[in-house]
Amino acid sequence: MTSVSAVRSRSPWSFAALVTAVAMAVVGCGGGGGPKDPATAGPKPNDGLQDLKTLLDAVKSGQQKAPKSAAEMAAIEPMFPAAGAFIQNGSIEYVWGTALASGPDAAKRMVGFETKAAKEGGFVLLQDGTLKEVSAAEFGGLEKAKP
């Protein structure tokens, strides 16, 4: 085993590197040890809408059926956990039984949205697959898709 004096005698830089390495190992590198802001920690409702889009992409490709109820959503929630959790806790709303579609009107119809969007603005998932942040006024100009 090498003693500290042997390392110090080889090079002052080796000793400094050893001291720095030990200090970093004990103290850490300062990468995120402080408190986290709850508003920025974890998934957000727009993540739930993105997960809902993934589900509806699977519906469009024939791999999945569009859920027509909360019970049907609960059955597939393990495959789409963010969508399921935010629908269940009421942060986002899904228009049951709807799917993605194409055409000019699809960009004006919502299949999912943040429940706060009507009053405060928020994210919407349009029937053409676009995830978009809108104001409350813009939300008022959109319609819900029909199953």
Side-chain angles (χ1 to χ4, degrees), residues 4 11 19 21 23 29-30 37-38 42 56 73-74 76 80 83 85 98 100 117-118 123 141-143:
V4 172
S11 165
V19 170
C29 298
D37 180 1
L56 297 178
M73 185 67 199
I76 60 172
F80 307 98
T98 59
L100 299 179
F123 284 90
L142 298 170
E143 61 185 64

Side-chain angles (χ1 to χ4, degrees), residues 36-50:
K36 296 189 178 182
D37 180 1
T40 60
K44 296 178 180 39
N46 60 315
D47 297 321
L49 287 170
Q50 184 62 49

Side-chain angles (χ1 to χ4, degrees), residues 37 39 41 43 53 55 63 69 72 80 82 87 91 93 100 103 108 139:
D37 180 1
K53 181 186 180 311
L55 163 61
Q63 298 172 338
S69 67
E72 288 183 14
F80 307 98
I87 290 169
S91 296
E93 184 175 321
L100 299 179
K108 300 174 189 168
F139 182 89

Side-chain angles (χ1 to χ4, degrees), residues 93-136:
E93 184 175 321
Y94 167 58
V95 183
W96 297 116
T98 59
L100 299 179
S102 55
D105 291 336
K108 300 174 189 168
R109 293 188 302 251
M110 301 176 290
V111 293
F113 53 90
E114 281 188 272
T115 52
K116 71 173 188 140
K119 293 180 181 177
E120 303 172 29
F123 284 90
V124 298
L125 177 59
L126 301 173
Q127 199 167 25
D128 68 355
T130 303
L131 184 60
K132 181 178 178 181
E133 189 169 16
V134 297
S135 67

Side-chain angles (χ1 to χ4, degrees), residues 2-30:
T2 307
S3 69
V4 172
S5 60
V7 171
R8 190 181 305 171
S9 67
R10 287 188 191 152
S11 165
W13 294 110
S14 297
F15 181 72
L18 175 66
V19 170
T20 302
V22 170
M24 288 178 70
V26 171
V27 176
C29 298

